[in-house]
Amino acid sequence: MQPFVYNSLPARVIFGPGTLSQVGREIQNLGCSKALVLTGPSQSKKGEALKEDLGDVCVGLYSNATMHTPTNITDEAVELAKNLGADCVVAIGGGSAVGLAKAIALRTDLPQIAIPTSYSGSEATAISGQTENGIKTTQKTLKVLPEVIIYDVDLTLTLPAQMTITSGINAMAHAVEALYSTESNPVTDTLAEQGLARLAGALPILSKDPQNSEARSDALFGAWACGSCLGAVSMALHHKLCHTLGGTFNLPHSETHTVVLPHTIAYNTPFATAAMTKAARVLGSASAAQGVFDLAKNLGAPYSLKQLGMKEEDLERAADVAMKSPYPNPAPLEREKILSLLRDAYEGKRPL
């Protein structure tokens, strides 16, 4: 066995159906009594219901969590938390709510409880992103890692089929990058393969039967496994491109990951053959890049940046932004090759 380094992350994970009922007890376990609930506009009803369930333990609700975590939204939420005297935050929703909780924790050190309702996987990482003046930046620090993650399978039953697919492929991107990361190791490799397998098996079922609780459970576990992988290693080209397209051009988060992933896999495969062979085997495909592309397209997910509203004339700028402050990557980063990757993703070409 080759030498390796593995950093485990300290987090309490509660997984299963109906686990939302344990939020109050977990707040008490943290030594807290004044929780601010965070959610986004589309999940506001879940936020209201949780606020009511918590009773006096909840001092307020902020329901304007926004995609890509704009700094002005964080400013508002931090000010509200201070005014209410909150001693912890509870995020319920997708990556936007979890991202906002992380941004608040980064500034205030307030403890977090994350209750994801999608498969973003952000809750399992110590990575925080924010967008300011059209540029999305990230940093890695244990200050933003939630103290508690509550995975309630029941909360994912109402996730629309289309969002289920794109959110699930977004989660798969975490595992793929972990496999070819410069910090890959046997622990994360095993977890990545398991996460990919669970999601690849569950998503076709959920595209036809969104209420299938067993497939929902598999997908949610897969999302946690994939997120945990990325939390233990470094991000690479795929996340850099998606952060560029989301933060600078405001493209939707999970859909962008879905479109870009096959092309970043193809870009890196010649320099990470063994890693991508593992991914291809799990996906039941001769090529990991084609396996992900076909999975997305066959399940009715978007497969081109054009479909997401990207303008062809902005591809050059996207390549320029992506080349600034690059993340470690197995394949050398060359502007013209990245521009070619973006053009293929724009057109929705099936990777060779």
Side-chain angles (χ1 to χ4, degrees):
M1 166 126 0
Q2 294 292 321
F4 67 90
V5 175
Y6 170 67
N7 294 306
S8 61
L9 297 177
R12 176 172 166 82
V13 176
I14 301 169
F15 186 99
T19 51
L20 185 64
S21 63
Q22 300 184 40
V23 178
R25 184 171 65 195
E26 293 302 318
I27 292 173
Q28 289 183 333
N29 288 344
L30 290 173
C32 300
S33 59
K34 297 180 179 180
L36 173 62
V37 173
L38 308 169
T39 191
S42 65
Q43 301 283 347
S44 59
K45 289 184 178 179
K46 287 186 173 71
E48 291 284 358
L50 179 58
K51 179 177 182 290
E52 186 173 338
D53 288 344
L54 292 175
D56 293 340
V57 175
C58 179
V59 294
L61 169 68
Y62 183 83
S63 58
N64 197 32
T66 303
M67 186 173 61
H68 306 305
T69 321
T71 52
N72 64 299
I73 296 296
T74 304
D75 292 340
E76 288 181 3
V78 167
E79 186 66 22
L80 179 62
K82 290 179 178 178
N83 291 340
L84 294 174
D87 58 9
C88 68
V89 292
V90 180
I92 181 168
S96 297
V98 173
L100 178 59
K102 288 181 166 186
I104 294 172
L106 183 63
R107 296 193 192 182
T108 66
D109 269 339
L110 288 178
Q112 307 168 68
I113 296 176
I115 311 166
T117 60
S118 70
Y119 306 129
S120 76
S122 173
E123 69 283 346
T125 77
I127 301 165
S128 178
Q130 67 172 20
T131 301
E132 185 172 18
N133 299 324
I135 300 296
K136 186 170 184 177
T137 57
T138 63
Q139 60 179 298
K140 196 170 187 177
T141 169
L142 286 177
K143 287 181 68 175
V144 304
L145 183 70
E147 279 74 10
V148 181
I149 309 170
I150 296 178
Y151 290 105
D152 189 334
V153 177
D154 294 343
L155 292 177
T156 65
L157 293 174
T158 56
L159 190 65
Q162 179 81 351
M163 179 56 70
T164 294
I165 304 309
T166 57
S167 182
I169 295 176
N170 175 18
M172 294 172 75
H174 304 328
V176 168
E177 287 225 315
L179 285 170
Y180 62 55
S181 168
T182 55
E183 299 173 349
S184 65
N185 59 78
V187 180
T188 55
D189 282 3
T190 300
L191 200 55
E193 290 184 64
Q194 189 172 174
L196 286 172
R198 294 291 184 110
L199 283 160
L203 294 182
I205 297 172
L206 293 173
S207 70
K208 298 176 181 178
D209 182 13
Q211 295 286 312
N212 188 304
S213 58
E214 185 174 351
R216 284 290 181 191
S217 183
D218 281 349
L220 194 57
F221 176 83
W224 169 78
C226 294
S228 296
C229 292
L230 190 66
V233 300
S234 59
M235 296 183 292
L237 174 63
H238 173 78
H239 278 82
K240 181 63 180 182
L241 287 178
C242 290
H243 292 162
T244 296
L245 295 169
T248 303
F249 302 97
N250 202 36
L251 297 190
H253 184 79
S254 64
E255 290 88 343
T256 301
H257 279 271
T258 299
V259 170
V260 171
L261 183 58
H263 303 283
T264 52
I265 292 175
Y267 187 101
N268 279 316
T269 292
F271 296 84
T273 306
M276 293 303 92
T277 297
K278 292 179 183 178
R281 183 178 65 247
V282 172
L283 295 170
S285 173
S287 154
Q290 292 177 347
V292 172
F293 182 90
D294 293 343
L295 179 68
K297 188 173 182 180
N298 291 342
L299 296 182
Y303 55 92
S304 75
L305 293 177
K306 187 188 299 184
Q307 291 173 285
L308 303 185
M310 184 74 179
K311 297 177 181 178
E312 187 172 10
E313 58 266 29
D314 286 335
L315 296 178
E316 295 264 1
R317 184 182 171 209
D320 290 337
V321 174
M323 287 297 294
K324 296 177 180 178
S325 303
Y327 301 161
N329 193 70
L333 300 178
E334 301 176 29
R335 183 191 181 278
E336 290 309 308
K337 288 185 177 180
I338 289 176
L339 180 58
S340 178
L341 181 165
L342 288 169
R343 284 178 174 145
D344 286 348
Y346 176 80
E347 295 292 344
K349 293 182 178 179
R350 186 174 188 256
L352 296 176

